[in-house]
Amino acid sequence: MSGDPLLIRAACLFVPLLAVTALAVHRPPAHRALGAALVATAWQAVTLPAVNLLAVRAGWWTFHADGGTVAGLPVDLLLGWALLWGAVPVLLRRPLDGRLPLLLTVAALAWLDLVAMPLADPVVRLGDAWLLGEAAAVLVCLVPGLLLGRWTLQRRHTARRAGAQMLLSGALMVGLPLLTTGPGIPGGVTGLTLVAQVVAVPLLLGVVAVREFVQRGGGTPVPYDPPVRLVTSGPYAYVRNPMQLSIVLTFLVLGAAAGDWRLLAAAATAFAYGAGLADWHENAWLRDRHGEGWDDYRAGVRAWVPRLRPWPGTAGARLYVAATCTPCSGFGRWITRRRPVALRIVPAEQHPGRLRRLTYESDDGRVRAEGVAAVGRLLGHLHLGWALAGWLLAVPGLGWFAQLCADAFGAGPRDLTPASAEPPAPQPHG
């Protein structure tokens, strides 16, 4: 039995929307709950279209809607679905004091979907294997979105939250505009490869900035889930807005390469937002939270134009270099000649533990890296050019491969000779 398509589409959108409104009015969400609802809904908004496109291709179900569609998918259905699986469980969990087990939430929302899908005919017409599509949606969309919302509420698994937010930002802020505009890069495969390499530089800047938020700040890029400590290390030692700069430069490169004014307009819009509303709001919030520390940092680091050398007030660290190893001590002297900023060279023999590789440790104890990873960290204390090379080693898999190569060429772990050795190099200044 088929219903009225207009009524079905209205119900799919407005029932979840009214539920979110009622829950928010009943108990206005605090910043953290609002952030949890936003990231959970964003996860659904990114993954549900992908699963539904797969469902149409696989014949699990098809959509039959006039108007209001993108790539054949009804926007109102997807938006209502994203709210139902994203914001609603987050906001509903709060009045229940968090006592809503994950398994029960998954079961309830999946059961509701199993009931609603057949009732959506003729807008949604189910195939014989539509339960496979339902299972895929639950596993790819519902469960990860619920976990992301809960972790945000509980301030747990910061690295996982930040990683998911980074994927969402890339999909919504870069992927969606590219899909919408469909820019053409001239030069075929060669042109596309060249542009991809250029774009990788600003994207790397944003990725490493997220890493610093997690490791040094204990937070994420979402404004409602921010770091609890002021972050002045990594890219933040060179420029104040590395993530926003990353997005602006990405759009500039893509717009210039494709000759597409829409992408150039997106770059201008992103810059205007970052330099205007975002800067005004963040400046007031950070000054209130960090006081003079923020004022000093803001005075020393520009918002959009990177410094060539790190800000002297950046977070300090120690690099342990073996004095009894000739190549190691030579490397220590090479570092010292480049006058590292906020980095002290210390003989590895003086470390209270037993070190077998070059080791980097931050003064606040939040970052520890060995081998090639330590090299990547220390390069950030030298110069912007060296810092970019060091940040490349943060790319998943690349650092591991570089360490494998280093070990193969004789830079592997070695036992230190217990000796009272002189430091491999004088202490740096500045």
Side-chain angles (χ1 to χ4, degrees):
M1 182 177 179
S2 300
D4 184 347
L6 292 178
L7 184 59
I8 291 172
R9 296 182 66 174
C12 289
L13 173 61
F14 287 107
V15 169
L17 186 59
L18 289 174
V20 170
T21 303
L23 289 169
V25 170
H26 172 70
R27 188 174 179 183
H31 276 189
R32 179 154 300 280
L34 183 57
L38 287 174
V39 295
T41 303
W43 180 268
Q44 306 303 335
V46 168
T47 57
L48 279 171
V51 170
N52 277 278
L53 287 173
L54 175 62
V56 172
R57 180 176 292 272
W60 294 335
W61 56 74
T62 56
F63 295 99
H64 301 270
D66 295 326
T69 64
V70 174
L73 306 179
V75 176
D76 39 19
L77 266 68
L78 293 178
L79 180 57
W81 206 344
L83 291 172
L84 181 64
W85 280 12
V88 169
V90 170
L91 298 178
L92 184 61
R93 191 168 185 266
R94 295 167 57 251
L96 298 178
D97 295 327
R99 295 190 298 269
L100 199 59
L102 177 65
L103 185 59
L104 177 60
T105 306
V106 171
L109 290 172
W111 174 83
L112 183 61
D113 215 50
L114 290 172
V115 172
M117 288 288 277
L119 297 177
D121 184 83
V123 178
V124 181
R125 290 180 179 166
L126 304 178
D128 293 336
W130 72 278
L131 291 178
L132 290 177
E134 186 69 26
V138 168
L139 292 176
V140 175
C141 309
L142 177 59
V143 173
L146 290 175
L147 288 174
L148 186 56
R150 286 169 181 249
W151 292 342
T152 303
L153 280 174
Q154 301 166 356
R155 291 197 67 88
R156 297 173 55 207
H157 304 295
T158 306
R160 296 179 189 177
R161 296 196 331 261
Q165 293 170 14
M166 192 161 50
L167 291 175
L168 293 174
S169 297
L172 294 173
M173 300 178 67
V174 179
L176 183 60
L178 290 179
L179 286 175
T180 303
T181 58
I185 305 296
V189 176
T190 302
L192 187 62
T193 302
L194 179 61
V195 171
Q197 293 178 26
V198 176
V199 167
V201 176
L203 290 180
L204 176 66
L205 179 67
V207 170
V208 178
V210 173
R211 181 191 68 172
E212 292 302 304
F213 261 31
V214 173
Q215 295 185 350
R216 306 301 285 264
T220 74
V222 171
Y224 297 109
D225 186 24
V228 296
R229 295 173 291 274
L230 181 63
V231 179
T232 62
S233 57
Y236 289 93
Y238 294 90
V239 64
R240 214 163 63 232
N241 296 328
M243 295 185 205
Q244 297 173 25
L245 180 60
S246 171
I247 295 297
V248 171
L249 291 178
T250 297
F251 280 132
L252 279 177
V253 171
L254 292 174
D260 194 322
W261 67 268
R262 294 169 296 181
L263 293 177
L264 296 176
T269 302
F271 174 76
Y273 172 77
L277 180 62
D279 182 70
W280 170 76
H281 177 268
E282 291 175 1
N283 181 46
W285 186 85
L286 289 168
R287 178 180 288 112
D288 180 65
R289 191 176 183 92
H290 301 290
E292 292 184 1
W294 166 251
D295 289 333
D296 293 342
Y297 173 69
R298 192 169 188 267
V301 181
R302 293 182 291 264
W304 297 98
V305 180
R307 298 169 55 99
L308 292 180
R309 295 269 291 169
W311 179 53
T314 186
R318 303 174 302 279
L319 183 71
Y320 290 93
V321 182
T324 54
C325 163
T326 302
C328 304
S329 58
F331 183 60
R333 288 189 292 272
W334 180 88
I335 298 169
T336 301
R337 286 196 297 271
R338 278 144 186 85
R339 298 178 297 113
V341 175
L343 180 71
R344 294 178 290 122
I345 311 298
V346 182
E349 292 80 1
Q350 295 182 9
H351 193 277
R354 184 181 179 183
L355 303 181
R356 302 193 68 222
R357 291 186 187 273
L358 183 76
T359 301
Y360 174 100
E361 291 183 352
S362 62
D363 289 345
D364 59 11
R366 301 187 182 282
V367 176
R368 188 177 192 274
E370 297 181 345
V372 166
V375 173
R377 279 286 182 177
L378 73 88
L379 291 178
H381 291 263
L382 303 183
H383 186 278
L384 181 59
W386 283 116
L388 286 170
W391 297 338
L392 275 174
L393 298 176
V395 176
L398 188 57
W400 170 84
F401 180 73
Q403 185 65 69
L404 194 66
C405 293
D407 290 350
F409 285 101
R414 63 186 67 206
D415 293 316
L416 296 180
T417 302
S420 56
E422 292 296 322
Q427 297 297 317
H429 300 284

